Amino acid sequence: MNYYFNKYSDLLPNVDPQSRIEKFFQFPITRMAIILILLAPSFLIIETVRGVVIKSVDFTTAVYSGYFFDVLLIAAMMITYRIYTSATENRKANEISFYKFLPEIGFGALIAFLIMTFFVLLISIPGYYSVEEFNSFGNVIFMFFDQLKVGFIEELLFRVIIFKLSEELFGSWTAIAVQGILFGFAHAGNPNATIYTTMALILSFSIFFGTAYMITRRIWFVMGFHWSWNFFQAGIYGIQNSGHTQPSLITPVIEGPVWITGGDWGAELSIISVIILFTLGIYFVKIAYSNNQFMKPKWRR
């Protein structure tokens, strides 16, 4: 089967800046600021309109219009990013191309589902997890779209923008550390957050998310994992999602050592998840190396 993975060279700017001002605008940190500024209006406008609409209609209409706005926001951010790559970097946005969209997002989702289900089964054996009641299936639909939006936005920001542009300047290993640390501290303000939850996120997801993106150099595999992880953790099994209690199909009773169950933070704090995700991350390092996907710092290229 002919299966094409993007190389890091496919995502580099196709420009040759000559003047100081051109070099300034092509500097990776400058471009990071540019794309973040360009994306902000889409988020602010759509979320403002969503708030107005939801307040002015009945509950059922508000729920379904919310799903529409979730998809609209994803589409608006994709269009904005494509315009940015064309105008600023003079290239196609290969990292969000729809090539192999379904198999990549599906495979990422499958891995997350298997890990999360294994985690729930494992902590159920000693009685740390049990089902208290089942809730409305509407919670499942809500979380499906809500976490679709969250998965896309966070992966666009942390992997496609922060990781990619940090890597372009500092190389792959530094970029893995940068995006992992920022991802961990971005959740430090969540309910029930502690220094331990932040460190667990960094340890679990730094190498995993960075190298999972590097394998294909497209957003879909890592987004599929992120989306499915949050959806099954919170939307199906009712486990705290990075400290947040969210609508779920199952209301569970979770009791037992926090280092095993994750406690009021969620599965990312469990040693089970940390070990699994860290191990997978190391395996992804091997795959990325074998595919020549590690980039040297700019001054060594």
Side-chain angles (χ1 to χ4, degrees), residues 30 42 55 109 129 132 146 157 167 170 174 192 204 216 227-228 234 240 245 263 274 279 283 285:
T30 306
S42 297
K55 291 179 180 178
Y129 179 99
E132 182 177 287
D146 183 68
L157 292 177
E167 183 186 40
F170 300 113
T174 301
N192 306 311
S204 299
T216 64
W227 168 31
S228 182
Q240 300 279 79
T245 300
V274 171
T279 302
Y283 177 65
V285 168

Side-chain angles (χ1 to χ4, degrees), residues 247-300:
S248 61
L249 178 64
I250 296 171
T251 297
V253 175
I254 301 176
E255 299 175 331
V258 172
W259 66 277
I260 295 178
T261 67
D264 292 333
W265 177 257
E268 297 95 342
L269 188 57
S270 169
I271 190 66
I272 299 169
S273 299
V274 171
I275 291 174
I276 292 173
L277 295 173
F278 185 79
T279 302
L280 275 176
I282 297 302
Y283 177 65
F284 289 163
V285 168
K286 180 181 178 181
I287 296 176
Y289 259 119
S290 66
N291 290 333
N292 195 30
Q293 289 284 38
F294 272 79
M295 186 189 301
K296 295 178 180 179
K298 185 178 179 65
W299 56 88
R300 293 180 57 191

Side-chain angles (χ1 to χ4, degrees), residues 215-230:
I215 290 172
T216 64
R217 298 282 175 176
R218 286 185 288 271
I219 193 176
W220 307 121
F221 172 63
V222 68
M223 177 202 159
F225 180 93
H226 196 155
W227 168 31
S228 182
W229 178 275
N230 288 353

Side-chain angles (χ1 to χ4, degrees), residues 58-233:
D58 61 83
F59 177 77
T60 302
T61 305
V63 170
Y64 285 100
S65 63
Y67 304 152
F68 167 76
F69 283 113
D70 287 340
V71 175
L72 180 63
L73 179 57
I74 292 172
M77 296 184 90
M78 287 189 67
I79 291 170
T80 302
Y81 189 81
R82 289 178 183 275
I83 292 172
Y84 154 80
T85 56
S86 177
T88 307
E89 299 187 356
N90 190 31
R91 65 177 182 85
K92 294 181 179 179
N94 297 305
E95 57 270 53
I96 59 170
S97 74
F98 285 103
Y99 178 79
K100 299 298 181 180
F101 163 77
L102 286 178
E104 288 181 8
I105 202 170
F107 188 54
L110 176 63
I111 292 176
F113 163 72
L114 292 175
I115 295 174
M116 188 55 61
T117 301
F118 173 75
F119 170 75
V120 170
L121 291 174
L122 200 59
I123 65 173
S124 296
I125 294 172
Y128 297 155
Y129 179 99
S130 60
V131 177
E132 182 177 287
E133 64 178 355
F134 287 92
N135 304 308
S136 168
F137 190 74
N139 290 349
V140 176
I141 300 174
F142 171 81
M143 288 297 288
F144 180 91
F145 284 96
D146 183 68
Q147 294 309 311
L148 177 69
K149 175 186 69 176
V150 170
F152 178 82
I153 291 176
E154 291 196 0
E155 290 312 310
L156 181 68
L157 292 177
F158 286 100
R159 255 57 68 180
V160 174
I161 296 174
I162 293 175
F163 175 82
K164 173 193 170 298
L165 292 171
S166 298
E167 183 186 40
E168 190 178 315
L169 181 60
F170 300 113
S172 299
W173 279 116
T174 301
I176 287 172
V178 168
Q179 56 89 35
I181 291 170
L182 291 177
F183 184 76
F185 279 98
H187 295 77
N190 288 12
N192 306 311
T194 67
I195 187 62
Y196 300 108
T197 62
T198 300
M199 291 301 103
L201 274 179
I202 293 172
L203 184 61
S204 299
F205 288 124
S206 290
I207 296 178
F208 178 87
F209 273 151
T211 53
Y213 169 71
M214 287 171 63
I215 290 172
T216 64
R217 298 282 175 176
R218 286 185 288 271
I219 193 176
W220 307 121
F221 172 63
V222 68
M223 177 202 159
F225 180 93
H226 196 155
W227 168 31
S228 182
W229 178 275
N230 288 353
F231 172 69
F232 282 99
Q233 175 175 230

